[in-house]
Amino acid sequence: MSRYRDVYQSSLSDPAGFWREAAREVSWGRPPQQILDDSTPPFYRWFPDAELNTCANALDRHVEAGRAEQAALIYDSPVTGTLHTYSYGELLDVTSRFAGALRSLGVAKGDRVVIYMPMIPEAVIAMLACARIGAVHSVVFGGFAAHELAARIDDAQPVVIVTASCGIEPSRVVEYKPMLDAAITASSHPPRHCVVVQRDQLRCNLVDGRDLDWDDVVADAVATPPVPVAATDPLYILYTSGTTGKPKGIVRDNGGHAVALLWSMRHIYGIDPGDTFWAASDVGWVVGHSYIVYGPLLAGATTVLYEGKPVGTPDPGAFWRVIAEHRVKALFTAPTAIRAIRKEDPNGVWLTRYNLDCLKSLFFAGERLDPDTYHWATEKLGIPVIDHWWQTETGWAIAANPMGIEPMSIKPGSPAVAMPGYEIAILHADGTGCATGEEGAICLTLPLPPGTFPTLWNDDARFESSYLCEHPGYYLTGDGGYVDEDGYLFVMGRIDDVINVAGHRLSTGQMEAVLASHPAVAECAVIGVADEIKGQIPRGFVVLQDGVSPAGLAAELVKLVRDEIGAVACLKQVDVVAALPKTRSGKILRKAMRSIAHGHEEPPPSTIEDPDILHALRPVLRG
């Protein structure tokens, strides 16, 4: 690990020098002289005296370098039967014209624009257009309920909202306009205008004087040049759920974001200009922001925008088709996507129908990568399968296997090692450090590197109280885990998912790893529930592989956990269920499951993919 260690240590010993060098890859209107402003901790700002434009870095500079004809964005939509490729020149043209349209609607530098859209090219164009004129975009996942959308509108106070008439799911069309209209009615800060993409699958009614057809505003628009902004100016706000019910607006600045993402594309993912990169996520999530839109385009790569599912659109070979057709070099997805494929095609028959020699690596993030999924993907694909770990707040990987620096040994269950600028500390509740191999709270030494969030939108106090007060001088990630003797990080799950059984602190993630190792189990979740004697006890829920009989399996799984972890785990009940409730990004809704098990009646979270699954689980959870 000598090359990695040299790079990593230089980022800690001389952060200003390290990030000054990384910043040379970005095109600046005014290059940075000061690299880090650390005068008002815990509020740190990177490149405080510099200016740039993120859209110009993502599009204009590649066109100016003679690569206008190279593919920039491939839109692949099996749910509509659409395939369209935008070259860098074409994407620049439509983006600069939509930027002109936004300016004609009164959007100025620093104004906010809410984007509430499905996975269509106009969503990417709208994001880049905002960046072009210095406006701050806030993408809200398409299909969010009206009250959730209204809360985000009130917090961001947008001048314009960009939306579409509908989203398309494999089995239904989701009408966006009624939800948007209801959200605006409930909002205290309605926008001046809504720009609506009318999709052929469902057209909607427009409100006179407020709503405008996308095609009409673009047809009349004049292309606009990029507007220089301060490196510390916000590029976007991305809301994540907060414990108080009010969403937290994660702020991403322009300068640090461009430097960090450009560095990560080459050094973590091994992607060079002209390569094709596919992040199978959604533009509504941070993965979509970082690695569908900005990261690949900043790097001069080709990015894939996929409107479909891992299975059912139309079959378990959907991902392999996309990779083969578009010559994808690296795929980034959530483990749940591969588990869904494996469940329907355990032997990988669909995979063998496509030539995947272009695919050099598979990256996982978003949830814990269970060893079984890792081994299946490794065996079937024969390429490095890489777990890496990061958060909405950080915007790029905290820990990863840096394929562009030095491919490292893979340890199943670990997202590998800390990336430059991230100094990981494992702490006890009292703030003292844990020993090697000892589990505790995963914290990051301040300041965080470029690309991470500098604060919350209009809420510095909540930024401090939510992340920085528990352990002064550190950022609290909210996850628990440990670091082994080789410096590899193991993330065991949210601190909330550590349960206290008769005085013993136990990780539900560790129990899930044991359950997932059983060949009959496709997916699983373990939650802690209240117990009069022990305080808390774990309960397991498993989804089986297709064709597996549940007879006698629950007892077998209980014994497996007892054998692997010990009687102290006290897991005595494992229920076989048809499906587990998830967010649209694939995370299992353990908190919602715990809430139901404890008798609380709460509305399903807005991020839920299928509320019927959670409803069907109620009798089991209450049992």
Side-chain angles (χ1 to χ4, degrees):
M1 292 198 297
S2 58
R3 190 175 172 212
Y4 155 74
R5 288 195 188 281
D6 289 346
V7 171
Y8 178 67
Q9 288 302 325
S10 71
S11 78
L12 299 187
S13 61
D14 182 18
F18 182 91
W19 293 112
R20 184 188 302 277
E21 187 63 30
R24 298 188 197 283
E25 299 297 317
V26 172
S27 296
W28 301 92
R30 185 168 68 211
Q33 301 303 311
Q34 183 180 8
I35 302 304
L36 174 64
D37 178 1
D38 58 0
S39 61
T40 56
F43 298 94
Y44 300 92
R45 305 310 302 267
W46 291 94
F47 316 112
D49 58 355
E51 284 188 350
L52 77 164
N53 182 275
T54 296
C55 179
N57 271 274
L59 299 178
D60 301 61
R61 69 177 178 144
H62 303 308
V63 172
E64 292 163 4
R67 292 193 289 118
E69 301 305 313
Q70 180 198 312
L73 176 70
I74 299 172
Y75 170 51
D76 190 313
S77 173
V79 296
T80 62
T82 305
L83 180 62
H84 185 81
T85 299
Y86 293 80
S87 69
Y88 268 96
E90 291 167 337
L91 191 56
L92 173 58
D93 177 61
V94 294
T95 296
S96 59
R97 284 191 288 120
F98 190 65
L102 289 175
R103 292 191 75 169
S104 72
L105 296 176
V107 180
K109 179 178 176 180
D111 286 341
R112 275 77 60 206
V113 174
V114 163
I115 300 171
Y116 179 65
M117 300 186 81
M119 288 285 284
I120 56 177
E122 289 85 351
V124 177
I125 292 164
M127 294 168 71
L128 292 167
C130 290
R132 192 169 190 82
I133 61 175
V136 182
H137 65 68
S138 182
V139 181
V140 179
F141 185 90
F144 256 24
H147 70 281
E148 292 286 347
L149 179 56
R152 288 153 173 78
I153 292 171
D154 278 342
D155 198 61
Q157 300 184 18
V159 175
V160 168
I161 295 178
V162 185
T163 189
S165 56
C166 66
I168 316 261
E169 295 291 330
S171 59
R172 64 192 178 111
V173 173
V174 181
E175 295 187 60
Y176 283 10
K177 195 59 166 38
M179 291 185 284
L180 175 61
D181 290 341
I184 292 174
T185 299
S187 171
S188 303
H189 299 277
R192 295 179 204 159
H193 294 287
C194 296
V195 179
V196 184
V197 176
Q198 294 277 25
R199 304 193 74 183
D200 293 340
Q201 291 76 16
L202 177 74
R203 300 182 70 83
C204 64
N205 294 323
L206 303 183
V207 175
D208 288 340
R210 187 196 73 188
D211 297 347
L212 303 165
D213 187 297
W214 172 289
D215 290 339
D216 292 341
V217 298
V218 170
D220 298 333
V222 176
T224 189
V227 174
V229 300
T232 54
D233 282 347
L235 170 66
Y236 69 76
I237 307 164
L238 183 59
Y239 288 95
T240 184
S241 298
T243 55
T244 65
K246 179 186 176 184
K248 294 181 290 189
I250 304 300
V251 174
R252 195 80 63 214
D253 65 13
N254 276 270
H257 173 260
V259 171
L261 289 194
L262 194 47
W263 187 92
S264 73
M265 288 303 298
R266 179 171 300 164
H267 296 93
I268 295 178
Y269 302 103
I271 296 296
D272 294 314
D275 290 338
T276 300
F277 184 80
W278 178 24
S281 182
D282 190 284
V283 293
W285 310 129
V286 69
V287 173
H289 282 58
S290 293
Y291 294 113
I292 294 177
V293 182
Y294 289 111
L297 296 178
L298 287 167
T302 301
T303 186
V304 177
L305 182 76
Y306 177 70
E307 189 181 26
K309 300 290 184 182
V311 297
T313 57
D315 51 53
F319 271 30
W320 318 131
R321 174 195 65 78
V322 172
I323 291 166
E325 282 188 13
H326 307 311
R327 307 301 293 164
V328 173
K329 182 178 180 181
L331 169 65
F332 177 167
T333 190
T336 189
I338 300 303
R339 284 196 292 266
I341 294 170
R342 178 187 171 211
K343 185 175 185 294
E344 292 200 12
D345 184 25
N347 296 319
V349 174
W350 283 93
L351 187 150
T352 63
R353 301 182 183 187
Y354 298 95
N355 179 2
L356 303 181
D357 63 351
C358 58
L359 188 66
K360 303 305 180 186
S361 51
L362 169 60
F363 288 85
F364 284 117
E367 58 180 325
R368 190 170 181 273
L369 173 59
D370 59 283
D372 220 29
T373 300
Y374 163 78
H375 288 300
W376 185 87
T378 300
E379 176 192 341
K380 299 303 180 188
L381 291 169
I383 60 173
V385 173
I386 301 158
D387 190 11
H388 65 324
W389 174 63
W390 49 297
Q391 301 177 318
T392 301
E393 289 84 351
T394 65
W396 63 289
I398 301 167
N401 191 326
M403 298 302 288
I405 298 176
E406 178 185 19
M408 299 167 65
S409 300
I410 293 173
K411 295 188 179 186
S414 170
V417 292
M419 288 297 92
Y422 292 106
E423 186 173 6
I424 295 173
I426 310 297
L427 302 180
H428 293 293
D430 62 3
T432 58
C434 294
T436 298
E438 184 182 8
E439 193 171 331
I442 304 174
C443 299
L444 306 174
T445 304
L446 298 177
L448 298 178
T452 57
F453 71 143
T455 189
L456 297 175
W457 180 250
N458 288 336
D459 205 342
D460 288 349
R462 192 179 184 194
F463 171 68
E464 289 191 83
S465 64
S466 296
Y467 301 101
L468 308 178
C469 288
E470 184 80 14
H471 299 293
Y474 296 93
Y475 163 78
L476 179 68
T477 68
D479 283 302
Y482 64 92
V483 174
D484 74 3
E485 64 280 0
D486 297 320
Y488 278 64
L489 175 69
F490 288 78
V491 182
M492 303 310 296
R494 300 298 292 173
I495 293 173
D496 290 346
D497 291 333
V498 173
I499 61 175
N500 197 315
V501 181
H504 298 280
R505 287 174 55 81
L506 299 172
S507 166
T508 57
Q510 187 179 6
M511 296 182 216
E512 287 180 5
V514 175
L515 293 177
S517 70
H518 194 288
V521 174
E523 288 190 300
C524 64
V526 175
I527 63 172
V529 297
D531 181 79
E532 290 183 3
I533 298 174
K534 296 182 180 294
Q536 285 181 296
I537 57 171
R539 282 188 61 188
F541 302 86
V542 297
V543 179
L544 302 184
Q545 303 284 2
D546 284 353
V548 173
S549 170
L553 187 61
E556 188 177 336
L557 291 171
V558 168
K559 182 178 184 300
L560 182 63
V561 171
R562 185 184 182 93
D563 291 345
E564 292 288 329
I565 298 176
V568 68
C570 205
L571 179 69
K572 297 180 179 179
Q573 184 175 350
V574 175
D575 292 292
V576 176
V577 296
L580 293 170
K582 298 177 185 176
T583 66
R584 294 180 179 93
S585 63
K587 293 183 180 179
I588 296 171
L589 291 164
R590 295 172 181 84
K591 182 179 179 182
M593 293 171 67
R594 286 196 302 267
S595 179
I596 294 172
H598 292 149
H600 302 309
E601 288 294 338
E602 299 176 4
S606 59
T607 54
I608 193 168
E609 183 174 36
D610 186 349
D612 290 340
I613 293 175
L614 193 60
H615 180 74
L617 267 181
R618 284 179 183 273
V620 181
L621 288 162
R622 295 279 173 83

